[in-house]
Amino acid sequence: MKTLVDTIISNKEPNARIHFIRGAEEEFALSYETLKQRALGLRAFLHGQGVTQGDEIILLSQRNEAFIEGFWAAILGGNPAIPLAFGISDEHKWKLFRIWQQLQSPWLLLDATQKERLEKFVALNGLNGLWQSVQKKSIVIEEIPPLIVADDFIAVEETDTAIIQFSSGTTSSPKGIVLSHKNILTNIRGIIKGMAMTEADSTFSWMPLTHDMGLIGFHLTPFVQGVDQYLMPTDLFIRRPWLWFQKISQVRSTVTCSPNFGYQHYLSALERNQSQDALALNHVRLIFNGAEPIAVPLVQQFLKKMQIYGLNDTAMFTVYGLAEASLAVAFPEPGKRFRYVTLDRERLQMNTQVQYTENGVSFAVEGKPIAGCFVRIVGPDQSNLSANHIGKIEIKGENVTKGYLKQEELNREVFHEDWLDTGDLGFLTTDGELVVTGRWKDIIFVNGQNYYPHDLEQILQSKGVTGTGRVAVTSVRGEGEERDKILVFILYKGRLPDFVPIINAVKGVVSEQLGIEVQEVLPINQLPKTTSGKIQRYQLSSRYQQGDFNQVIQELLELSAMDDEGQQGVSTIEKTLKGICDGLLANKRIDLDENIFEIGTTSLVLAQIHQQIEEIYPGKVEVTDFFDYPTIRQLASYINGKK
C-alpha cells in the first residue's frame, strides 16, 4: 500500500467497525466497508460542487462521524485534508481565516452550528468581504443531500500531500506541517510494529481527531491494521471522565491513550466518589502516554490507583512523538514495566553528561526509535553527542515532513541536511533509549496542547493589556508537578498596589481567549534581551525557579486577597454556585462579583464547573453562558430567571 487511497480500497477487514460512543448507553457503529461507500459518495458530491483534485479541504466538525467521512472523502478525492480544532474563543475563529489565506484553493466543510458562530463573529469584526469568499466555497454538512456512490477512483501518488497539520498558533500565522501519504503510512507501519499490534487488539480514544494522536494514532492506525476502534468525543470525556474506563471495561479494548491532563482529570473524578467498582481492566495491554511532557509522579499515582481494577503497570506506554514526524518517534518495548530515570538537576544543561541519582528530577524513558525513524542528539555546533549527554533531539526518516507550508526561512532554520530539529532537549541512554528532558524551543504544554509565548504576548498586546515589547511569557515545571506553570512578566515601574488590576486583566484575557490558566503575573524593571533584540525567556524562568521573585509574589498575594466573610443577602443559588467554584478553583478565592476569567479559569475547569451546575440545575446553563454572565451573581440571576 503506497497511499491512504490504496489502504481504504484494499481493506481486507470490511466488517471491522468504528464505534462512535455518544453516551453511557448510546453508541453508533460503522463498518469500514460502509465508511468507504459513504466517503466515495461524499467525494462525488464535493466534486460536483466544484472541488477539484488538489484543492485543500478544511474539516470543521465537532462530530466524529461527520469529521471522519469528510476526511476520507478528501483523501479519496486527492484533496489535502486540514483538520481544524474550533474552540469557543475569538482567537480560534481568527485562526481559520489566517489558515484560509495561506492555502492555494481551499474549501470549507463545516457543521451548521459552526457556520452560525462564524457569521456572528464576522459581523462583529468587519470581515464581511473575506467571509463572502469563504462562504462561496463552504459546504454545510447538514445540507448535503442523500449520497450517490461513484466507484471510480482518482489516481494519487505517495508523494502527494495527504494532510496539512497546522500548529496551534493563533494571533500569528499558524504553521502548516505538510504530510504526504508516504510520510503517514511509513509512520503507521512503524507504530504497528512498535506496539506489536495484532488482529486481537481494539483501540479506544477520546482524543480529538484534529490532534495527530487522535487522527493518525487512533483512527488511521487501527484502520490500516483492520481492527475495531472506539471513538468518544473529547467533550464527553471532559464532562464524564469515568466513562473512559467504564466503556473500555465493557467493550474490552486493549489499547487506549491520554496526555497528562487526562490522567489527572480521571483521577479527580474518582476522588469525587464516582465509583468504578465494576471495572475489569486486566485485558488492557497498552495505554499510550504522550502529547505533552510525561509527569512521572502522576503516572505512579495513576498506576497505583488503577491496580485495584486489574490494570497492570506494564500497560503504561510512555512514548515520544511530534506532528512533524507524522506522529511517532520512539516507543518503549511493549510488555515492560513503566520506567524512568532520576537525574541530578544541576547537570541538565546542553552538552552536559547526565548524572544518575536517587534524589533529583525524574524523567520517563520513552524507548527506542520506531522502524523507519532515526534519532540523534547534537550539541549547539551540530556535533553528534555520545550516550548520556544532553543535546538537541533531531530526527529523520520517510515519516518526517519535508517542510512547513510556505515557510522557506523556517525550513532552512530547522532542517540540517536531512535532519529535523525537534526543538526538544534530551539524551540517549547507553542502550539507545530516548529520554526527553526539556525544550530547546519556547513551547508551553498545557492539557495536551502546545502554546507559543509570542502568541500569548500578542494577545495581551492586541487587547490593550500591555504595550508592545513590554511583556514576556514563559513557563516552568517543578519536580513532581504535572503541567507547565505559565508565567507572564510585564515591564512595569509604577506602584505595586496599582499592578493588581493588571494581574486580573492578564489572567482574564488569556483565560477567556485561550481557555488556559496563567499562574503568575509579575512586574519587572527590565526584560532581558539578546543583542538582536530577542527576549531571553529562559533567564526569567531561571530567576523564578531560583526564588528571585518570591518576595514580590507574597506582597502581591496580600494585596490581592479578598475577604468573602460577612457578605449579606447571598441567595441559595449564589451559595451553591460559589460552593462549586470554590471546590474546583484550587487555592483561589472568588467573590460573588468577580469575573471568573480574571482569576485564570482553564477550559478544563470551566467544563467541570458546568458539569456540576448541570447536575443541580439541568438544562439551565450552557458553557457559552459563562461569557455573558461571568460572575457568580450574574449567573445566579440568569439561572433564577429561567425557572
Side-chain angles (χ1 to χ4, degrees), residues 224 389 441 494 595 627:
V224 170
H389 282 75
K441 297 179 180 178
N595 188 313
F627 292 89

Side-chain angles (χ1 to χ4, degrees), residues 306-450:
M306 301 303 288
Q307 68 181 354
I308 64 173
Y309 305 119
L311 184 69
N312 197 304
D313 59 4
T314 61
M316 186 56 65
F317 203 56
T318 52
V319 300
Y320 173 67
L322 60 158
E324 287 86 346
S326 296
L327 173 59
V329 171
F331 284 1
E333 184 178 346
K336 297 290 186 180
R337 288 185 174 182
F338 163 65
R339 291 174 299 129
Y340 63 93
V341 295
T342 303
L343 307 175
D344 184 344
R345 61 170 46 84
E346 301 298 327
R347 299 185 61 84
L348 296 176
Q349 294 78 30
M350 168 78 78
N351 210 13
T352 301
Q353 183 173 359
V354 300
Q355 180 68 49
Y356 294 90
T357 180
E358 293 183 0
N359 297 306
V361 185
S362 298
F363 300 97
V365 176
E366 294 174 287
K368 296 181 179 181
I370 66 170
C373 189
F374 304 89
V375 174
R376 73 176 183 181
I377 308 296
V378 300
D381 60 354
Q382 292 301 117
S383 61
N384 287 302
L385 299 181
S386 57
N388 292 317
H389 282 75
I390 292 179
K392 296 190 293 182
I393 301 172
E394 295 191 341
I395 61 174
K396 75 172 183 178
E398 296 293 349
N399 62 309
V400 179
T401 178
K402 298 302 181 184
Y404 300 92
L405 181 69
K406 298 179 180 178
Q407 297 280 343
E408 294 182 8
E409 183 177 346
L410 177 60
N411 289 334
R412 287 193 295 268
E413 178 185 334
V414 300
F415 281 96
H416 305 108
E417 296 180 349
D418 293 333
W419 292 92
L420 171 72
D421 183 349
T422 65
D424 292 319
L425 291 172
F427 66 94
L428 293 172
T429 68
T430 52
D431 294 328
E433 294 191 286
L434 181 65
V435 178
V436 181
T437 60
R439 295 183 296 280
W440 181 245
K441 297 179 180 178
D442 290 319
I443 301 175
I444 298 171
F445 295 88
V446 180
N447 291 346
Q449 298 295 320
N450 298 349

Side-chain angles (χ1 to χ4, degrees), residues 43-56:
R43 183 216 66 182
F45 172 79
L46 294 176
H47 284 212
Q49 298 300 301
V51 178
T52 60
Q53 186 171 2
D55 292 351
E56 306 98 337

Side-chain angles (χ1 to χ4, degrees), residues 500-544:
V500 174
I502 298 176
I503 296 175
N504 294 335
V506 167
K507 291 185 175 181
V509 166
V510 175
S511 176
E512 185 169 356
Q513 294 298 314
L514 295 179
I516 59 178
E517 179 181 3
V518 171
Q519 277 74 25
E520 298 286 1
V521 183
L522 298 169
I524 193 168
N525 291 327
Q526 184 178 6
L527 294 176
K529 295 183 179 181
T530 65
T531 54
S532 61
K534 295 181 179 178
I535 297 174
Q536 295 176 306
R537 298 183 181 88
Y538 72 93
Q539 288 194 15
L540 295 171
S541 301
S542 178
R543 287 185 58 193
Y544 178 87

